[in-house]
Amino acid sequence: MFAVKPLSSLQSDLSRAVFLRPPAIGIRQARVSGRQGRVNGGAVKAAISSGDKTMEAEKGKVPYSDTDSSSSSSSASPAAASSGMIELRAVLTVRKKMRQRLVDKMEDQLESFINGIGQGISLRLVSEEVDPVTKSGKSVESTVRGWLPQQSEHPYIAEYAADFSVPGDFGCPGAVLVTNLHGKEFHLSEIVIHGFSEGPVYFSTNTWIHARKDNPESRIIFRNQAYLPSETPPGLKDLRHEDLLGIRGNGKGERKAHERIYDYAPYNDLGNPDKDDELARPVLGCDDRPYPRRCRTGRPPMRTDPLSESRIEKPNPVYVPRDETFEEIKQNTFAAGRMKALLHNLVPSIAASLSSSDIPFKCFSEIDRLYINGLILKEGDQMEAAANLLIPNVMKEVLTVGQKLLKYEVPAIISRDRFAWLRDNEFARQALAGVNPVSIELLKEFPIVSKLDPAIYGRPESALTRELIEKEIDGMSVEKAIEEKRLFIIDYHDMLLPFIDKINSLPNRKAYASRTLFFYNQSAFLRPIAIELTLPATPTSPQNKRVYTHGHDSTSHWIWKQAKAHVCSVDAGVHQLVNHWLRTHASMEPYIIATYRQLSSMHPIYKLLHPHMRYTLEINALARQSLINGGGIIEACFSPGRYAMELSSAAYKSMWRFDMEALPADLIRRGMAVEDPSMPHGLKLVIEDYPYAADGLLIWSAIKDWVESYVAHFYPDPNSTASDVELQSWWDEIKNKGHQDKRNEPWWPGLATKEDLCKILTTIIWVASGQHAAINFGQYPFGGYVPNRPTMMRRLIPQEDEPEYQKFILNPQATFLSSLPTQLQATKVMAVQDTLSTHSPDEEYLGEASQLQRNWINDQEVLEMFKKFSARLEEIEMVINERNSDPQLKNRSGAGIPPYELLLPSSGPGVTGRGIPNSISI
């Protein structure tokens, strides 16, 4: 792509150092545990590194130390080696396209020529010291110049150089201003300045450099030294301020793809009334429907609804700041996932095309065939269906390869025991060790009473009576069971009842507001004892509540099975819309926007948080485009239908609060743990064999210790956090702009001390890493078998006075299966769950430093802290593996039970059911 002049033998040594430099000592580059090893980022990332050799300048060398982060800007600056000029060389590492078309190669050759004459990339090196004449940082300019460099063994990585002559009193380089004179952007991975006797100076970039024709302003890149605002070297103060102003933008206009502007907007882009009145959706992010803010795109309003933003439909991309977009490896993985999803959807679509209607599963063997045989069609039918569905030519070729179109992988939940989903103990186990283990609570009060308005929703008392409960717990009194902490509940009554009439008015969709009661017996087993399913009160049914127990005869057994299926479908909706989307994806987005807008990339807290923000804005934008939008997959396949995001907003209004997103606080709030200073994490679990909580506390504690050591290093003064202007603006913006509708809540933590900061940061990092992993990557392992976790139900449970009841008595299996999602709905949601459960090959996991991150900070003490954090996570992985092998822990070990691995830190690519990425990247 670019070219430089022929290099000397010294430069040849430098080039070899770039590609052969060993990993940073003590920081894991890959971790293998029980599965195939993972190379972080594949061959591309393995190649992106920079030499640690020093370069002797022809006219002298600069005695500069690049290792002591605690030194001031003056002491960190290079002393003048002589009164003459000093020769420096800037080496740029550029990532090229992995898949190049002929036109790309031709463009590369043209750009090589442009660089050869010094017209491609311009650099300005800025010192940390002030020029007494200009009153700004001393600076010197140069350009990338020369012809093609020696070819690297890594075809996707290229290096280019620019030479500088600086005066002996130039000082320490603190910033590089990069101007891209080409007609298109390029990806800059790193800049290294050579010529200092103590080693090179690193500028970790990993950023897209826009073309000057798109934006005349140069990109400002700071070196890998962390500075609090008050410690900013004089020569960099103006650049620090200028860079933040550019990132914030002015809040006007439509954003362009090349921009790096972060701003806020409400969720007003989910509907599309311009296309169809049925696709109109209310704005989320107002007093009536509060919601976290998303990244602003600035698109014009809808023609039919000026409060809603016009939509960008697939395959056109939704704007996110340029560096938030997927890298090529991730793009290819996600594209493959979309292709796979299309194949998944195609199978039932073809069946629907041939039969003129979507059909339910008629027997369990039809579900099994998805994993065993796949689905077979004649070649002619394949081609006809492909034509009817407007499948692209490449897809037609795929379809004609053979008869077996698709074969799903067997989900973990039935891989060891095909009938596990039928059992009550497995139903209860998944409340503690499934994909949604964050809804179960200790029952603290009795009777159970609704908080909804009785004038609208009827009598508040639950139908779960004392007599019914005591019958199911072997005569123990309810009071004693509560006192001994043996009764637990998953209560979706108040959250769902206001939406039930709306949901049930949708075609082929039925739901209840549910309560599920569990008993923790003397044998340390949790079992469901009663399910309450409620419909809104009517004049003829003022108490429209029914209670179901497991029973022993065949009729009650089948009705109990249907009641559990309804609970699972409700749970699936709450999991997806509240615990997964709202509490991780949507809530995290404002933290990310505020971090970019208010914390300089030099700020130590920015450097700490940066790995935990990767890809989140892009995956959220894709979700708004295809998953949570009006008519999208979530509406089509989950119980709440078109009211899905309204339900999510109602949950945000009634239950979301930042201080309760911390794992210990959440466990205490739900009564699943009590404070106990004698325990390792300061908590004692009420149910010790609670895999999500037990493993989660290990991860939480590791994050907390890492954050505390990091914060103490940069904020030794007790008052330093309160006086950090960027930090205070960051926290103020999260509360008042990012979560604007909750800005006046009294529970927001203050930010006066470093202890306050540690709690806030630990919570944010936990949400982005461990919490998201625990409730995301089990979606296909648990939900891939539809009867175990149906995402919606199509029929209510038949009652004795209804005509459907006799059909149920004659064929209960048919009634059950016809209540589940249809083949089209099931296969579609399975495809989505499969995609959402997939790790990309370039995933970056908690505690691992990728090649791009190896020079993320110039501070040996911090690197040693990170090394300890990394080692701690390796120990945690061993502890979790030991727990999964312990026969005493029945919720994670036993015949047919898949081990609980969702909080194992490492993973390979694919659907593994394990692994904690740094960020919400899928």
Side-chain angles (χ1 to χ4, degrees):
M1 185 185 301
F2 305 106
V4 296
K5 61 186 177 183
L7 303 180
S8 65
S9 60
L10 175 62
Q11 177 59 15
S12 297
D13 291 339
L14 176 63
S15 181
R16 285 195 296 272
V18 168
F19 292 108
L20 300 178
R21 182 171 184 254
I25 297 174
I27 299 180
R28 292 171 290 148
Q29 303 303 318
R31 180 167 57 205
V32 181
S33 178
R35 298 184 186 268
Q36 63 176 313
R38 174 187 57 77
V39 178
N40 225 342
V44 176
K45 285 196 175 181
I48 299 177
S49 59
S50 295
D52 56 0
K53 295 183 179 181
T54 60
M55 187 179 82
E56 299 274 336
E58 292 180 7
K59 297 184 180 180
K61 58 183 181 179
V62 185
Y64 162 63
S65 172
D66 191 46
T67 57
D68 184 8
S69 68
S70 62
S71 59
S72 65
S73 60
S74 58
S75 63
S77 301
S82 67
S83 59
M85 302 299 287
I86 301 167
E87 300 302 315
L88 302 177
R89 171 159 289 175
V91 178
L92 288 71
T93 304
V94 173
R95 189 180 69 212
K96 300 190 295 183
K97 281 187 177 181
M98 297 172 64
R99 296 183 177 180
Q100 286 200 326
R101 301 165 298 169
L102 178 61
V103 66
D104 295 321
K105 294 179 180 179
M106 294 175 64
E107 288 179 352
D108 277 357
Q109 292 177 359
L110 176 60
E111 289 172 357
S112 295
F113 174 77
I114 294 173
N115 276 298
I117 59 174
Q119 298 295 314
I121 304 174
S122 173
L123 303 179
R124 173 177 287 187
L125 189 63
V126 181
S127 171
E128 293 185 346
E129 297 185 2
V130 172
D131 186 317
V133 177
T134 65
K135 305 301 181 183
S136 59
K138 299 175 183 178
S139 67
V140 61
E141 293 189 34
S142 182
T143 59
V144 169
R145 183 180 293 274
W147 303 109
L148 280 173
Q150 185 175 354
Q151 290 295 315
S152 164
E153 61 183 285
H154 302 283
Y156 313 126
I157 301 299
E159 278 194 312
Y160 310 97
D163 295 325
F164 293 90
S165 293
V166 302
D169 62 350
F170 181 77
C172 174
V176 178
L177 275 63
V178 183
T179 304
N180 175 11
L181 307 176
H182 292 285
K184 66 176 185 179
E185 65 185 3
F186 68 89
H187 190 276
L188 181 61
S189 297
E190 191 173 56
I191 301 175
V192 187
I193 308 296
H194 295 271
F196 298 104
S197 62
E198 296 298 324
V201 182
Y202 294 97
F203 295 76
S204 297
T205 56
N206 193 29
T207 186
W208 289 95
I209 306 298
H210 62 264
R212 185 172 64 173
K213 69 179 181 62
D214 293 326
N215 180 358
E217 299 295 326
S218 301
R219 274 297 308 280
I220 302 170
I221 309 293
F222 296 106
R223 79 180 181 100
N224 64 343
Q225 179 71 49
Y227 289 114
L228 294 176
S230 60
E231 299 170 349
T232 308
L236 303 181
K237 286 184 177 180
D238 289 345
L239 288 179
R240 183 170 187 152
H241 180 65
E242 180 183 337
D243 190 44
L244 284 174
L245 287 179
I247 286 173
R248 293 170 193 162
N250 60 9
K252 300 177 181 179
E254 183 173 356
R255 299 275 64 87
K256 305 297 189 297
H258 67 270
E259 293 179 329
R260 293 174 59 253
I261 293 178
Y262 296 76
D263 204 351
Y264 302 95
Y267 278 71
N268 63 348
D269 63 342
L270 300 179
N272 194 355
D274 282 0
K275 180 179 180 181
D276 186 341
D277 288 343
E278 287 297 309
L279 295 178
R281 298 293 181 269
V283 174
L284 305 184
C286 56
D287 291 340
D288 293 338
R289 294 183 178 90
Y291 217 62
R293 295 306 190 261
R294 62 169 177 91
C295 187
R296 181 183 179 276
T297 65
R299 295 193 300 269
M302 289 274 183
R303 174 176 47 81
T304 57
D305 180 6
L307 296 179
S308 294
E309 187 175 86
S310 56
R311 285 184 55 79
I312 298 292
E313 301 294 354
K314 297 181 296 183
N316 299 311
V318 176
Y319 168 82
V320 294
R322 185 63 182 96
D323 288 342
E324 304 304 312
T325 56
F326 291 162
E327 295 176 19
E328 193 172 357
I329 295 176
K330 179 75 169 183
Q331 287 177 343
N332 293 339
T333 301
F334 197 76
R338 292 176 68 179
M339 180 73 77
K340 189 175 180 182
L342 183 56
L343 276 171
H344 289 345
N345 295 342
L346 182 62
V347 176
S349 297
I350 290 175
S353 175
L354 296 176
S355 64
S356 301
S357 63
D358 192 17
I359 54 176
F361 293 106
K362 294 184 176 63
C363 59
F364 287 98
S365 60
E366 287 188 344
I367 302 175
D368 295 339
R369 277 199 290 269
L370 294 173
Y371 320 108
I372 300 171
N373 300 324
L375 297 182
I376 300 174
L377 290 175
K378 297 178 182 179
E379 185 173 338
D381 290 338
Q382 293 176 25
M383 294 304 297
E384 180 184 353
N388 291 339
L389 294 167
L390 304 177
I391 302 302
N393 290 334
V394 64
M395 292 299 300
K396 294 178 183 178
E397 292 172 6
V398 171
L399 291 172
T400 58
V401 168
Q403 286 187 317
K404 191 175 292 185
L405 292 177
L406 172 70
K407 185 177 178 181
Y408 276 99
E409 291 189 13
V410 177
I413 190 59
I414 60 168
S415 64
R416 301 183 181 201
D417 182 353
R418 180 182 172 188
F419 302 105
W421 67 277
L422 283 167
R423 296 194 302 269
D424 284 357
N425 62 347
E426 178 60 24
F427 176 81
R429 190 188 74 86
Q430 290 183 34
L432 301 172
V435 71
N436 188 35
V438 297
S439 290
I440 189 169
E441 301 182 40
L442 180 72
L443 184 65
K444 301 174 184 177
E445 298 178 349
F446 193 84
I448 302 166
V449 179
S450 169
K451 296 179 182 178
L452 296 175
D453 184 353
I456 301 174
Y457 299 102
R459 291 182 56 187
E461 291 81 11
S462 168
L464 293 167
T465 63
R466 180 188 309 275
E467 293 75 20
L468 183 146
I469 295 172
E470 291 179 351
K471 180 181 177 182
E472 296 297 325
I473 59 177
D474 303 323
M476 178 184 288
S477 71
V478 169
E479 287 75 17
K480 185 172 179 60
I482 290 176
E483 180 185 348
E484 294 184 4
K485 294 183 171 61
R486 294 191 177 277
L487 287 175
F488 296 84
I489 191 169
I490 296 179
D491 191 346
Y492 296 139
H493 179 277
D494 287 8
M495 185 187 299
L496 281 169
L497 192 58
F499 292 91
I500 293 299
D501 271 343
K502 296 178 182 179
I503 293 171
N504 290 345
S505 67
L506 299 173
N508 296 315
R509 198 170 304 231
K510 300 298 178 184
Y512 299 93
S514 70
R515 289 187 177 109
T516 308
L517 201 60
F518 301 86
F519 180 62
Y520 190 58
N521 63 24
Q522 297 288 347
S523 302
F525 277 104
L526 190 70
R527 63 181 179 88
I529 60 173
I531 293 172
E532 179 189 68
L533 300 178
T534 302
L535 296 173
T538 66
T540 56
S541 299
Q543 282 294 314
N544 213 349
K545 304 175 183 179
R546 292 184 174 87
V547 175
Y548 301 92
T549 58
H550 49 82
H552 299 286
D553 62 279
S554 61
T555 301
S556 60
H557 170 79
W558 272 104
I559 290 178
W560 173 246
K561 188 184 300 183
Q562 290 186 78
K564 288 196 297 181
H566 272 282
V567 168
C568 287
S569 71
V570 167
D571 188 75
V574 173
H575 162 261
Q576 196 67 264
L577 294 162
V578 179
N579 296 331
H580 180 208
W581 170 257
L582 167 64
R583 294 178 62 189
T584 63
H585 285 260
S587 294
M588 189 72 195
E589 187 153 347
Y591 312 151
I592 295 171
I593 297 171
T595 299
Y596 280 105
R597 285 170 53 86
Q598 298 299 337
L599 298 181
S600 166
S601 60
M602 286 192 287
H603 200 290
I605 302 306
Y606 173 95
K607 291 183 179 294
L608 175 69
L609 289 177
H610 189 257
H612 306 288
M613 305 188 293
R614 184 175 185 242
Y615 291 158
T616 303
L617 298 190
E618 171 83 339
I619 199 66
N620 285 5
L622 289 168
R624 297 200 314 274
Q625 190 175 44
S626 303
L627 291 177
I628 63 172
N629 59 300
I633 291 173
I634 298 299
E635 288 193 359
C637 300
F638 285 78
S639 289
R642 63 178 297 160
Y643 306 103
M645 291 303 290
E646 289 184 62
L647 188 150
S648 187
S649 170
Y652 178 71
K653 182 177 183 178
S654 64
M655 63 170 285
W656 188 90
R657 44 186 291 177
F658 180 87
D659 59 333
M660 291 294 127
E661 295 305 293
L663 177 61
D666 175 62
L667 292 172
I668 292 171
R669 177 187 63 83
R670 292 189 284 122
M672 301 304 292
V674 294
E675 294 187 68
D676 187 342
S678 68
M679 299 300 290
H681 311 292
L683 294 181
K684 178 178 175 58
L685 295 177
V686 174
I687 298 177
E688 292 186 15
D689 188 11
Y690 184 4
Y692 158 77
D695 295 355
L697 285 172
L698 293 175
I699 302 297
W700 169 273
S701 180
I703 295 171
K704 177 174 175 286
D705 290 348
W706 154 238
V707 167
E708 287 177 347
S709 62
Y710 186 94
V711 168
H713 178 72
F714 286 103
Y715 293 94
D717 184 343
N719 299 320
S720 52
T721 54
S723 60
D724 185 334
V725 292
E726 287 183 6
L727 190 69
Q728 294 298 325
S729 296
W730 168 76
W731 186 233
D732 180 75
E733 187 164 289
I734 286 174
K735 294 182 294 182
N736 293 305
K737 289 188 176 181
H739 287 271
Q740 182 177 338
D741 303 322
K742 294 269 191 175
R743 62 190 180 277
N744 295 322
E745 297 288 353
W747 40 254
W748 283 104
L751 183 49
T753 67
K754 59 185 177 183
E755 289 77 19
D756 295 335
L757 178 59
C758 289
K759 291 177 183 177
I760 291 168
L761 293 173
T762 303
T763 299
I764 291 174
I765 294 173
W766 160 254
V767 168
S769 57
Q771 179 71 356
H772 180 258
I775 58 180
N776 179 72
F777 293 105
Q779 291 193 72
Y780 186 79
F782 285 97
Y785 186 66
V786 179
N788 179 66
R789 196 168 175 78
T791 56
M792 58 174 287
M793 297 291 281
R794 301 166 65 232
R795 298 171 184 261
L796 297 174
I797 298 175
Q799 302 302 311
E800 293 185 13
D801 58 349
E802 297 173 349
E804 291 295 318
Y805 188 79
Q806 286 305 312
K807 294 181 181 179
F808 157 67
I809 293 295
L810 292 173
N811 193 341
Q813 176 178 283
T815 298
F816 180 81
L817 289 172
S818 66
S819 300
L820 299 180
T822 65
Q823 292 189 30
L824 174 60
Q825 292 165 331
T827 346
K828 184 183 294 186
V829 79
M830 288 165 68
V832 173
Q833 290 171 334
D834 177 80
T835 300
L836 296 181
S837 302
T838 298
H839 289 292
S840 172
D842 75 334
E843 196 72 87
E844 296 177 358
Y845 295 92
L846 193 64
E848 293 181 359
S850 73
Q851 298 289 336
L852 290 175
Q853 294 171 326
R854 67 169 55 197
N855 298 315
W856 66 285
I857 195 167
N858 169 38
D859 193 314
Q860 196 59 40
E861 287 187 46
V862 170
L863 294 176
E864 286 298 316
M865 295 174 195
F866 187 79
K867 176 182 175 181
K868 292 179 181 178
F869 175 52
S870 179
R872 176 89 171 271
L873 290 170
E874 289 183 336
E875 294 171 0
I876 288 172
E877 189 148 314
M878 290 188 289
V879 170
I880 293 174
N881 286 327
E882 290 173 0
R883 288 175 174 176
N884 286 336
S885 301
D886 186 346
Q888 300 302 313
L889 299 176
K890 305 295 185 182
N891 287 325
R892 61 200 313 158
S893 176
I897 292 178
Y900 186 76
E901 297 183 329
L902 290 173
L903 285 167
L904 275 174
S906 72
S907 175
V911 181
T912 63
R914 58 180 288 167
I916 304 177
N918 274 323
S919 62
I920 300 170
S921 57
I922 189 66

